[in-house]
Amino acid sequence: AQSVTQLDSQVPVFEEAPVELRCNYSSSVSVYLFWYVQYPNQGLQLLLKYLSGSTLVESINGFEAEFNKSQTSFHLRKPSVHISDTAEYFCAVSDLNSNYQLIWGAGTKLIIKP
Amino acid sequence: DTGVSQNPRHKITKRGQNVTFRCDPISEHNRLYWYRQTLGQGPEFLTYFQNEAQLEKSRLLSDRFSAERPKGSFSTLEIQRTEQGDSAMYLCASSPSGGPTDTQYFGPGTRLTVL
């Protein structure tokens, strides 16, 4: 069965520094990959997703993630974080084995230090 | 478009009581999902509806849990004879057509505390 691992429960980083949030999944069967973000006191919202094509996908607020099939990874990166990026970030995967239901990681809290 | 709404936002109940939560999806979204999220974990899929039909239930969903979506609009999730282990955030999401690449739009959740 598919599983998703987000090894870092918290990532503290200084404002304007780069950040990488790691996501690995277990099954390399054809997958769809998602990053959702939860800002304080708000519901989950889609940040970006990989469906097919270019392995690098970008969000409107400067985040990007790269699908790496050989590493079964979908790490999220931003070259320069802002205080407004403070949130919890969840990686999710769907595939045929999960009947295309989303399988979620445990989340990573991004803590921006001023 | 007011987004997905859930009521109540918080519910405190005593063990053994029944509780019901409501989810109002984005209008014209055909698919509706229920998830459960416990502290330090990501959401866990419980069940989903395509219009009014409940198409899949997770093995996590015990017989004490029941969900409905009459007329394919709002949905309710009922938990009978609540247990302390039911304490969690219950999330509802909707999507336009339910395809595997669809974006799911989440509500703010209902936090259940069972004493």
Side-chain angles (χ1 to χ4, degrees):
Chain A
Q2 181 69 262
S3 65
V4 180
T5 302
Q6 293 182 250
L7 282 174
D8 304 306
S9 60
Q10 293 188 44
V11 172
V13 62
F14 285 104
E15 196 169 12
E16 298 185 6
V19 69
E20 178 179 82
L21 306 182
R22 296 178 292 169
C23 173
N24 288 87
Y25 57 96
S26 60
S27 171
S28 60
V29 173
S30 180
V31 294
Y32 301 118
L33 300 159
F34 304 80
W35 277 99
Y36 279 78
V37 58
Q38 187 168 30
Y39 297 104
N41 300 314
Q42 295 187 28
L44 286 157
Q45 55 187 280
L46 181 72
L47 185 61
L48 49 76
K49 60 184 175 182
Y50 169 78
L51 306 178
S52 65
S54 173
T55 58
L56 187 66
V57 290
E58 298 177 350
S59 73
I60 59 172
N61 58 352
F63 281 93
E64 64 180 30
E66 186 161 18
F67 168 53
N68 188 321
K69 187 174 182 178
S70 63
Q71 300 289 324
T72 60
S73 68
F74 191 54
H75 301 330
L76 182 69
R77 302 183 182 94
K78 189 171 185 180
S80 175
V81 296
H82 189 266
I83 194 74
S84 60
D85 294 323
T86 298
E88 190 159 19
Y89 293 79
F90 291 90
C91 180
V93 178
S94 73
D95 65 8
L96 180 61
N97 291 335
S98 67
N99 202 23
Y100 294 110
Q101 299 309 325
L102 289 176
I103 307 300
W104 297 78
T108 299
K109 289 182 181 175
L110 180 59
I111 301 167
I112 311 296
K113 300 184 288 185
Chain B
D1 182 354
T2 57
V4 178
S5 62
Q6 292 185 246
N7 288 288
R9 295 291 305 276
H10 303 274
K11 179 70 177 180
I12 300 174
T13 190
K14 293 183 180 179
R15 188 178 55 181
Q17 298 293 306
N18 299 343
V19 294
T20 300
F21 310 141
R22 176 177 171 129
C23 171
D24 287 88
I26 294 172
S27 59
E28 299 182 355
H29 275 195
N30 295 325
R31 190 164 284 196
L32 186 148
Y33 302 83
W34 285 100
Y35 293 90
R36 179 171 62 193
Q37 185 178 19
T38 53
L39 199 62
Q41 299 298 319
E44 293 175 298
F45 168 76
L46 293 179
T47 188
Y48 82 87
F49 292 83
Q50 183 73 25
N51 299 311
E52 66 274 12
Q54 187 173 18
L55 295 186
E56 187 174 346
K57 294 194 291 186
S58 165
R59 285 169 288 182
L60 296 174
L61 209 63
S62 79
D63 292 343
R64 296 184 297 104
F65 287 70
S66 62
E68 295 182 341
R69 192 183 183 196
K71 302 178 183 178
S73 56
F74 71 92
S75 176
T76 58
L77 178 68
E78 181 183 17
I79 309 174
Q80 296 182 324
R81 305 181 303 282
T82 52
E83 301 172 357
Q84 288 185 326
D86 297 331
S87 295
M89 179 75 86
Y90 290 84
L91 302 174
C92 175
S94 68
S95 67
S97 64
T101 61
D102 260 10
T103 296
Q104 293 186 23
Y105 295 82
F106 283 81
T110 295
R111 182 169 295 284
L112 173 66
T113 302
V114 182
L115 302 176

